[in-house]
Amino acid sequence: MFSKAKKDSEINLEQHELLEHAQVRIKQKKRLYAHFIIFLVGSVFLVLINKILKYGDTYNWFIWAITFWAFLFIMHFINVFVTQKFMGVDWERSQREKLVKKQKLRISELQKEIETDFPISQINKKKED
């Protein structure tokens, strides 16, 4: 703990990114499963309120509430399992590389423009005079 020789981390950058991505995916799936359990319990609870406790028993409003909640759950499911495959880590990496390449190209264009407008040889001659 207090030794003078500090050991470098044995995990390189790529492995660290993979671990972080795995942790994010685990959290997403865990939240989805919790959402599903809450959806099931909540749906039963809504039916009980409407039918057993006779709250608004003239109309079966629980059907609309459960349908809306099911729609939200399906959207959550699509976000976790479908969207992440198309716009996952590989997609993010390619987009990041594309943007970095674009920025480097723009920087090189600006440098060329500056060099043509203000050549170094002219700047050095003005300083010497």
Side-chain angles (χ1 to χ4, degrees), residues 25-39 72-81:
R25 289 294 293 160
I26 289 169
K27 284 182 182 178
Q28 286 177 340
K29 290 179 180 181
K30 188 176 179 180
R31 288 181 184 145
L32 180 69
Y33 299 145
H35 187 178
F36 181 69
I37 298 299
I38 292 170
F39 169 69
L72 292 178
F73 177 74
I74 290 169
M75 294 301 295
H76 191 176
F77 180 85
I78 289 171
N79 184 33
V80 170
F81 287 108

Side-chain angles (χ1 to χ4, degrees), residues 11 26 35 51 62 69 79 94 106 127:
I11 299 176
I26 289 169
H35 187 178
K51 294 297 180 184
F62 69 91
W69 200 349
N79 184 33
S94 69
R106 181 67 180 140
K127 287 183 181 180

Side-chain angles (χ1 to χ4, degrees), residues 28-82:
Q28 286 177 340
K29 290 179 180 181
K30 188 176 179 180
R31 288 181 184 145
L32 180 69
Y33 299 145
H35 187 178
F36 181 69
I37 298 299
I38 292 170
F39 169 69
L40 291 178
V41 171
S43 297
V44 170
F45 186 68
L46 289 174
V47 171
L48 290 176
I49 288 174
N50 188 231
K51 294 297 180 184
I52 304 297
L53 298 178
K54 300 201 185 297
Y55 182 78
D57 62 341
T58 58
Y59 181 68
N60 291 333
W61 54 266
F62 69 91
I63 295 172
W64 292 106
I66 292 173
T67 303
F68 178 71
W69 200 349
F71 174 75
L72 292 178
F73 177 74
I74 290 169
M75 294 301 295
H76 191 176
F77 180 85
I78 289 171
N79 184 33
V80 170
F81 287 108
V82 177

Side-chain angles (χ1 to χ4, degrees), residues 105-117:
L105 180 65
R106 181 67 180 140
I107 289 171
S108 67
E109 288 174 357
L110 287 173
Q111 284 177 338
K112 286 179 184 176
E113 187 177 313
I114 289 172
E115 288 174 2
T116 56
D117 290 345

